[in-house]
Amino acid sequence: MAPSRPPTALAGAMLTGRESLARLIGRRRRSPLPAPLAAALLSPSHSTPHQADDAGAGEAAAAGPSSSGGGAGAERVACPVCGEFIPGSDYCVNTHLDICLSRGAKRKLTQSSLLDFRFSKKTTAEPTPDILNNSDEAENKGLTDGDVSTDRELSSMNGVTGSPKDSGTTSLTGCLHGSPGISKTLNTCIPSNAGLPIIKNAENDDAVEKASSCLLSAGTTSVSIDACPDADSSTTVAVDTVIVGRRFRESFELQEGMGITVVRDPQNAKDPDAVKVLYAGSDCGQMLGYLPRELAKVLAPLLDTHFMECEGFVAGLPEQQLDNVPIQLTCQKCENDNQNYEDLRYQQSLWENFLGVVRNGNFQQPSGARYQANFNTMLLDVMTNHTHLFSDTETSFLGSFKSLSNDGQRLLVKIYTRKGPWFRLSSISYCEISDVEHAAMELKLAGYIDMFSGTDVPFEHDMKEILNVLSVPEMKEILKELPKDNTNCTRRHELLSTLLSMHNNGTCTVLPKRIFKWTGTCIRVSNMADELLWLVQRLFFLNGDQDLSSFLLVDLGLVKFPDYTCSVVHRIFQERNDLLQYEEAIRVAQFMDESLDNDNMELVSRCTDLSENRLCTSLKEEDSSLADSPPSFYSCFSSTWIYSKILTLGVSVYERERRYADAIRTLKILLSKVASGRRRGYWTLRLSIDLEHMGRPNESLSIAEGGVTDPWIRAGSKIALQKRALRLGKPPRRWKVPSYADSLKRNIKEVNIEGRPLNCEIGAKNVFYGYDGDRCGVEQLALQYYADEGGGWQGTHSEGGIWMTIFGLLMWDVIFSEVCDVFHSKFQTAPLDFETDDFYKSRKDLIEAQLKRIQDGMAEEMLISSWELHQGTSCKGVNWDRHPMADVRAVVAGVGGHRLALLLRHLALDYRSWSSGMPDLLLWHFLDERGGAEAKLVEVKGPKDKLSEQQRAWIFVLMDFGFDVEVCKVSLVSKRR
């Protein structure tokens, strides 16, 4: 049984904004906080004076940079305006000067002018020999263990910055490749064996050529293309590949040189593009296995259209019976004079796509090398499309990955993808690495890993992690060998605590040698490599949840992502500093989340204070109406966005501790700094409530009335503010009744039923005896009522799930249509603008055309077609397992085209605001044998439960659309009965 969390920590998990912040962080970083950030958050002298909330957001943050400790480790310089000593990094100086100048303060006579002011002293990194064993050794000196000097320590993520010659290009004022709004579009070719979609990226040709040549490894393909030099005009192609999936086949004696043939297997449940390999000399077609998935994907359409013939032979025998069998296929294009022009053109495009995949792919790779190839794909993509975010030194360091041996590359990828952070070298068994120790030494010399030799412990702060490598019996044996008897410790945490305390207080100097006796050499990814590889992974996936395992899930066929085209015009991160500030904000968010886990409210307050200061000193939002400005939905990749999430959670913490003055100050800062935030409704509502708590009803009323007219406040938040305005605005405070008063008083149809409860605990989920005598929840009880006494309805407890599934299926082509800047990698389940207003604006014509077809009665036909084409493919909101096809069809038929079109348009206009709060039950029944049906939506409420404002908003909308909607209230069985 898992240990229970402390009550306060459990309450922290239920704080508003906690789950959203956790999703934003994704997989937590394992490396320690950067020194400047650690000083800002952990320094005992950290103190942030709060100004009165009426003073305005600018004055509230005036002392932010100087008091946050964010410049620890950097040279401190005197401000020419106020004379205060501040960290000498570009970021600190710029933000501090903005505040000073906005006050209208004059320069002191004894200080230098702005022109004479030495803003930042650029320090140089001392060279460290024998770091990287490649041609760029001179540029890579000083990269190990994070000993890289930085010109902007506050923004740096662990000292990962450029060399002195790069300092001019990494500031806030420029990019390596000019402005982001480049009119020319470049078709970037990504290796097809990775399955990446077509990427159109507005980068210059030199950057792409440089990055590609830096990262492409030699000897990754074994393909021969015959005929003329122009590969696209060839008619015969020889492909070296393997037979996979043999473990599921009957044993068959293979012989080198035996003939084989291939045939399609369209009924394969795992892969509709599957291609079987058969023994050509068998009359019954003895099956040997399958072709690799990547090759079958481009070969299957050609075989289906009879545009190609394939035959081959076994090129070699595997060492183990069930290993992949190397083969060679000869693929020949078939000519057919009877086909029309369109068919020939389509087949020729398939053929050219096949040639491109064959030319760039390697279909002989064993399973272990697949990780290496996937890592190379990710690295190449990032260095091709995001070169401007890395300094020359970092580019050289990442580029040195290609100079590593295959053993070195595979070992690095293996240890980077494991949990760690420390591993026993002896426990890393990798059959495709000939010499693990030699590969580890190569990575050590290149600066990619740290090694623990056992003679001493160079990483004192990692002693706890090194001890975690040991098993419980091994820790017991170590204690037996030490002078002090601690054999009474039996549990892992007790043994770990005892050994760690003995090391920390210095009572056992021989402990490292004892550890090494049992562990042997330990290794981990170095801080320098970990920071850079983490940035590469973040830039490729654009979130913290996905990693290299996403490639593996696709390779195994466990996850299938949609097909779409990536057309990238604007960069997400315009400058290097934007990325560094974004990553720093992510680290603060993670630290706050960890502090809540540990119930350390002091550190939670420090994270909130630091975020408040950063948000107050951030640059103003750019005007998104300009032609060359990046799209507005890129705002979620800014530090401002992250800090707003942290402060939203901080407000919830303040309110739980009844620190309403702090909550009011923070909410005012959020509303003044984040003009188009998706949480403006929540912020405004909480501000109005907290002001009332402070005994300021007039100001609370003004805030509520302003929120009602705010265009960014919608759905339930708007109704909640309207109700507050009506309640607080009674005479004599307000005499005029608002126009929306009547709409809030509309009657909602109610049905009352009784249930026999099993539990009466406050705060616990209600459990009842169902109509069948079994235990059930309140929703299942209501379903049983409607199936029996309530009218013979069929139904499901879906809340909004089934509607999101219907929306995804009917709008599939719209969601994954080609729109600029919304798709950046092949691992997306929705466009980046999916939950923003831009989704409808960019696809208005497509959406309205689709809605017109639905309104005309074609919804069921569209639903069946979409289900058959895309079943099993990941799409945001679509749940293939929970909602079967029969239920979805019944709902579509019962709702009708007109009402369904209205509902789907409502979701398309504002998916985020309306993706929650829908009624619990969706009911339907068929009227006659001809297929007529009707549907009903029911919100179920148990004893003492009330409708939330979001649920009330949905009910009003559904009533306006003509839906049959009602509230089912479940009460306890009366004492008389």
Side-chain angles (χ1 to χ4, degrees):
M1 184 176 179
S4 60
R5 300 176 63 180
T8 50
L10 183 61
M14 295 185 291
L15 291 169
T16 302
R18 179 78 187 274
E19 293 183 1
S20 177
L21 193 70
R23 286 195 302 268
L24 190 65
I25 298 167
R27 190 166 59 94
R28 287 180 175 179
R29 299 284 293 273
R30 58 192 178 192
S31 58
L33 287 174
L37 196 56
L41 293 173
L42 302 175
S43 174
S45 60
H46 176 86
S47 176
T48 305
H50 295 302
Q51 306 295 330
D53 56 84
D54 295 328
E59 290 187 22
S66 60
S67 61
S68 65
E75 182 188 12
R76 304 185 76 83
V77 294
C79 173
V81 179
C82 66
E84 184 177 357
F85 280 89
I86 58 176
S89 62
D90 292 346
Y91 181 69
C92 288
V93 169
N94 290 338
T95 54
H96 183 84
L97 285 177
D98 287 341
I99 296 174
C100 288
L101 295 176
S102 65
R103 291 174 177 169
K106 296 183 179 180
R107 177 177 62 87
K108 292 187 177 183
L109 297 177
T110 57
Q111 292 291 333
S112 303
S113 66
L114 289 178
L115 295 177
D116 298 331
F117 181 52
R118 181 166 55 92
F119 288 104
S120 177
K121 180 179 180 180
K122 309 301 180 184
T123 58
T124 58
E126 296 183 3
T128 304
D130 300 327
I131 299 302
L132 298 178
N133 187 17
N134 56 25
S135 59
D136 300 320
E137 180 179 2
E139 296 183 8
N140 294 328
K141 293 184 181 296
L143 290 179
T144 57
D145 303 337
D147 290 334
V148 183
S149 298
T150 173
D151 58 316
R152 228 176 16 259
E153 289 191 345
L154 181 61
S155 301
S156 174
M157 285 293 94
N158 202 17
V160 184
T161 59
S163 59
K165 65 182 180 180
D166 308 317
S167 60
T169 63
T170 58
S171 66
L172 283 167
T173 56
C175 297
L176 291 178
H177 303 301
S179 63
I182 302 176
S183 59
K184 182 179 68 173
T185 301
L186 173 69
N187 291 333
T188 307
C189 181
I190 301 298
S192 300
N193 64 322
L196 286 171
I198 303 171
I199 297 180
K200 303 174 184 177
N201 196 354
E203 296 281 352
N204 66 41
D205 298 340
D206 295 336
V208 174
E209 183 178 357
K210 177 181 177 182
S212 302
S213 62
C214 181
L215 293 170
L216 283 174
S217 56
T220 59
T221 182
S222 177
V223 176
S224 58
I225 299 181
D226 301 332
C228 59
D230 184 6
D232 293 342
S233 62
S234 61
T235 59
T236 303
V237 177
V239 183
D240 293 325
T241 182
V242 292
I243 303 176
V244 299
R246 299 188 62 236
R247 69 184 63 182
F248 306 107
R249 310 272 69 80
E250 298 179 0
S251 59
F252 182 81
E253 184 178 355
L254 296 171
Q255 296 180 2
E256 189 170 355
M258 63 184 295
I260 58 174
T261 184
V262 299
V263 64
R264 282 279 286 113
D265 185 14
Q267 304 302 322
N268 191 293
K270 295 288 186 181
D271 182 10
D273 296 325
V275 178
K276 296 188 292 188
V277 181
L278 307 179
Y279 172 42
S282 172
D283 295 335
C284 61
Q286 178 67 46
M287 183 173 174
L288 304 180
Y290 292 90
L291 292 181
R293 186 182 297 268
E294 295 83 0
L295 179 59
K297 185 175 182 179
V298 293
L299 193 59
L302 292 168
L303 294 176
D304 290 340
T305 57
H306 306 287
F307 191 68
M308 175 193 291
E309 293 180 352
C310 292
E311 59 182 13
F313 61 91
V314 175
L317 299 179
E319 296 181 1
Q320 302 294 329
Q321 182 180 5
L322 297 180
D323 285 351
N324 297 339
V325 180
I327 60 174
Q328 185 177 94
L329 287 178
T330 301
C331 304
Q332 184 172 3
K333 183 167 62 172
C334 301
E335 300 293 341
N336 189 348
D337 297 334
N338 296 327
Q339 289 180 312
N340 57 42
Y341 174 75
E342 291 298 330
D343 291 341
L344 287 174
R345 183 178 178 182
Y346 170 69
Q347 291 176 343
Q348 183 62 29
S349 66
L350 294 177
W351 174 258
E352 292 174 359
N353 182 42
F354 166 73
L355 293 181
V357 172
V358 168
R359 187 182 303 111
N360 296 309
N362 182 3
F363 307 112
Q364 282 190 311
Q365 292 176 333
S367 58
R370 190 77 63 182
Y371 290 99
Q372 179 186 0
N374 292 338
F375 187 85
N376 267 305
T377 299
M378 181 178 69
L379 198 59
L380 174 61
D381 178 82
V382 170
M383 297 310 295
T384 299
N385 300 311
H386 304 283
T387 313
H388 65 289
L389 301 176
F390 296 93
S391 66
D392 289 346
T393 306
E394 293 166 349
T395 302
S396 178
F397 181 79
L398 292 172
S400 66
F401 182 80
K402 72 178 181 64
S403 65
L404 298 174
S405 65
N406 280 334
D407 286 353
Q409 290 185 8
R410 292 171 188 173
L411 180 60
L412 176 62
V413 174
K414 186 172 182 67
I415 64 175
Y416 179 69
T417 53
R418 295 175 69 176
K419 291 184 178 180
W422 285 93
F423 314 95
R424 299 187 194 193
L425 188 60
S426 58
S427 68
I428 300 180
S429 57
Y430 207 160
C431 60
E432 295 164 21
I433 299 179
S434 57
D435 190 342
V436 175
E437 291 186 2
H438 183 271
M441 188 55 63
E442 180 186 13
L443 293 178
K444 168 65 176 175
L445 294 175
Y448 282 101
I449 66 171
D450 300 324
M451 299 183 71
F452 166 56
S453 64
T455 56
D456 58 355
V457 185
F459 309 101
E460 296 291 337
H461 59 278
D462 284 340
M463 176 54 73
K464 181 177 180 180
E465 284 74 16
I466 294 174
L467 287 172
N468 273 321
V469 175
L470 297 168
S471 64
V472 171
E474 289 170 343
M475 285 192 280
K476 289 182 179 180
E477 290 298 325
I478 292 177
L479 283 176
K480 290 180 182 179
E481 297 173 0
L482 297 178
K484 187 176 180 180
D485 184 18
N486 292 279
T487 55
N488 58 335
C489 300
T490 57
R491 298 184 179 181
R492 182 176 185 86
H493 71 276
E494 295 174 344
L495 294 166
L496 186 64
S497 177
T498 301
L499 289 171
L500 192 61
S501 62
M502 294 174 66
H503 170 73
N504 291 338
N505 59 28
T507 58
C508 184
T509 58
V510 297
L511 183 59
K513 293 183 179 180
R514 295 289 189 270
I515 295 175
F516 179 69
K517 175 183 176 182
W518 291 95
T519 65
T521 303
C522 292
I523 61 175
R524 72 163 185 181
V525 177
S526 65
N527 287 339
M528 174 68 179
D530 188 57
E531 292 293 342
L532 284 177
L533 295 180
W534 185 272
L535 287 179
V536 168
Q537 199 164 253
R538 172 78 70 175
L539 289 170
F540 183 78
F541 293 105
L542 294 178
N543 61 68
D545 285 328
Q546 293 175 310
D547 52 24
L548 278 173
S549 63
S550 299
F551 283 97
L552 180 61
L553 295 175
V554 173
D555 292 340
L556 296 177
L558 301 177
V559 176
K560 183 180 179 182
F561 289 93
D563 293 327
Y564 45 76
T565 300
C566 295
S567 179
V568 180
V569 177
H570 295 94
R571 295 166 174 163
I572 288 182
F573 299 102
Q574 303 296 307
E575 298 174 348
R576 170 188 172 86
N577 204 58
D578 296 336
L579 174 63
L580 296 181
Q581 291 178 21
Y582 176 74
E583 276 298 304
E584 183 189 56
I586 291 288
R587 296 303 296 269
V588 176
Q590 177 180 324
F591 189 77
M592 183 171 187
D593 195 48
E594 293 171 347
S595 300
L596 283 171
D597 283 342
N598 299 327
D599 197 28
N600 192 329
M601 303 313 296
E602 180 183 357
L603 293 182
V604 169
S605 295
R606 291 185 182 183
C607 291
T608 307
D609 294 341
L610 183 65
S611 301
E612 187 176 310
N613 291 331
R614 295 287 195 272
L615 190 62
C616 288
T617 56
S618 62
L619 299 178
K620 295 182 180 180
E621 292 186 354
E622 298 182 2
D623 186 1
S624 58
S625 62
L626 299 178
D628 293 335
S629 62
S632 59
F633 53 83
Y634 276 5
S635 61
C636 61
F637 299 104
S638 65
S639 60
T640 300
W641 177 273
I642 309 299
Y643 289 132
S644 69
K645 294 279 187 180
I646 298 173
L647 292 180
T648 300
L649 179 56
V651 167
S652 189
V653 173
Y654 287 151
E655 290 177 337
R656 188 182 66 176
E657 298 178 351
R658 300 189 178 184
R659 297 166 56 183
Y660 297 120
D662 291 333
I664 290 171
R665 184 196 66 255
T666 303
L667 288 168
K668 286 186 175 182
I669 291 174
L670 284 169
L671 290 169
S672 64
K673 287 292 182 179
V674 188
S676 57
R678 301 178 188 176
R679 299 299 296 261
R680 283 188 67 84
Y682 174 78
W683 299 336
T684 306
L685 180 61
R686 297 315 306 175
L687 178 58
S688 178
I689 293 173
D690 292 340
L691 285 169
E692 189 176 10
H693 285 316
M694 295 291 289
R696 296 151 69 175
N698 291 331
E699 190 175 354
S700 176
L701 173 60
S702 299
I703 293 296
E705 290 176 333
V708 170
T709 59
D710 191 330
W712 290 101
I713 298 178
R714 304 160 184 172
S717 296
K718 187 168 186 176
I719 289 183
L721 288 170
Q722 288 175 343
K723 293 178 68 175
R724 285 192 62 80
L726 287 176
R727 181 176 63 83
L728 295 173
K730 293 179 179 179
R733 193 172 288 126
R734 293 286 190 274
W735 293 96
K736 185 178 179 180
V737 179
S739 59
Y740 49 78
D742 293 336
S743 65
L744 296 178
K745 297 178 182 179
R746 285 185 290 176
N747 292 325
I748 300 175
K749 183 180 177 181
E750 291 185 2
V751 173
N752 293 277
I753 65 174
E754 291 184 342
R756 293 182 298 159
L758 267 81
N759 63 332
C760 298
E761 300 177 11
I762 298 176
K765 183 175 178 61
N766 293 313
V767 180
F768 293 87
Y769 286 108
Y771 284 69
D772 54 2
D774 293 336
R775 300 179 181 182
C776 64
V778 64
E779 294 85 6
Q780 286 71 30
L781 182 65
L783 278 174
Q784 294 178 19
Y785 163 77
Y786 281 103
D788 186 11
E789 300 176 14
W793 296 85
Q794 302 179 50
T796 177
H797 172 212
S798 64
E799 297 182 359
I802 197 167
W803 295 110
M804 303 303 112
T805 297
I806 293 173
F807 180 85
L809 290 173
L810 294 181
M811 292 290 175
W812 192 285
D813 294 337
V814 174
I815 294 172
F816 299 105
S817 59
E818 185 174 352
V819 177
C820 291
D821 298 323
V822 298
F823 293 111
H824 286 253
S825 78
K826 72 165 188 173
F827 298 100
Q828 293 179 225
T829 59
L832 294 180
D833 65 345
F834 189 56
E835 295 186 347
T836 68
D837 292 355
D838 294 302
F839 178 79
Y840 181 83
K841 294 177 182 177
S842 302
R843 305 165 181 82
K844 182 177 180 180
D845 294 339
L846 289 174
I847 292 174
E848 291 301 331
Q850 202 79 335
L851 294 175
K852 180 65 168 59
R853 296 177 62 195
I854 293 172
Q855 191 169 357
D856 292 342
M858 299 178 63
E860 194 170 355
E861 178 184 346
M862 295 165 58
L863 185 72
I864 296 172
S865 175
S866 181
W867 185 284
E868 293 177 349
L869 285 174
H870 309 297
Q871 186 175 10
T873 303
S874 299
C875 173
K876 185 178 180 66
V878 177
N879 192 325
W880 299 101
D881 299 326
R882 184 176 180 182
H883 308 294
M885 179 63 175
D887 289 358
V888 178
R889 287 185 63 184
V891 172
V892 170
V895 170
H898 176 70
R899 288 180 295 183
L900 184 60
L902 292 173
L903 178 60
L904 296 185
R905 179 183 287 108
H906 198 65
L907 289 173
L909 285 167
D910 191 359
Y911 188 92
R912 185 185 182 279
S913 297
W914 296 101
S915 58
S916 63
M918 294 195 73
D920 295 315
L921 306 184
L922 179 54
L923 310 175
W924 65 87
H925 64 201
F926 296 97
L927 301 177
D928 49 45
E929 297 179 354
R930 292 175 296 178
E934 61 179 353
K936 180 195 292 283
L937 291 94
V938 180
E939 178 65 40
V940 183
K941 287 299 172 185
K944 300 181 181 180
D945 287 344
K946 295 182 179 180
L947 286 174
S948 70
E949 305 308 334
Q950 180 70 12
Q951 292 168 345
R952 192 178 299 274
W954 253 122
I955 292 175
F956 288 160
V957 167
L958 293 171
M959 291 169 60
D960 292 339
F961 291 165
F963 281 83
D964 183 7
V965 57
E966 63 189 30
V967 175
C968 177
K969 292 187 175 182
V970 181
S971 58
L972 303 181
V973 175
S974 62
K975 293 182 179 180
R976 180 178 300 178
R977 291 187 60 186

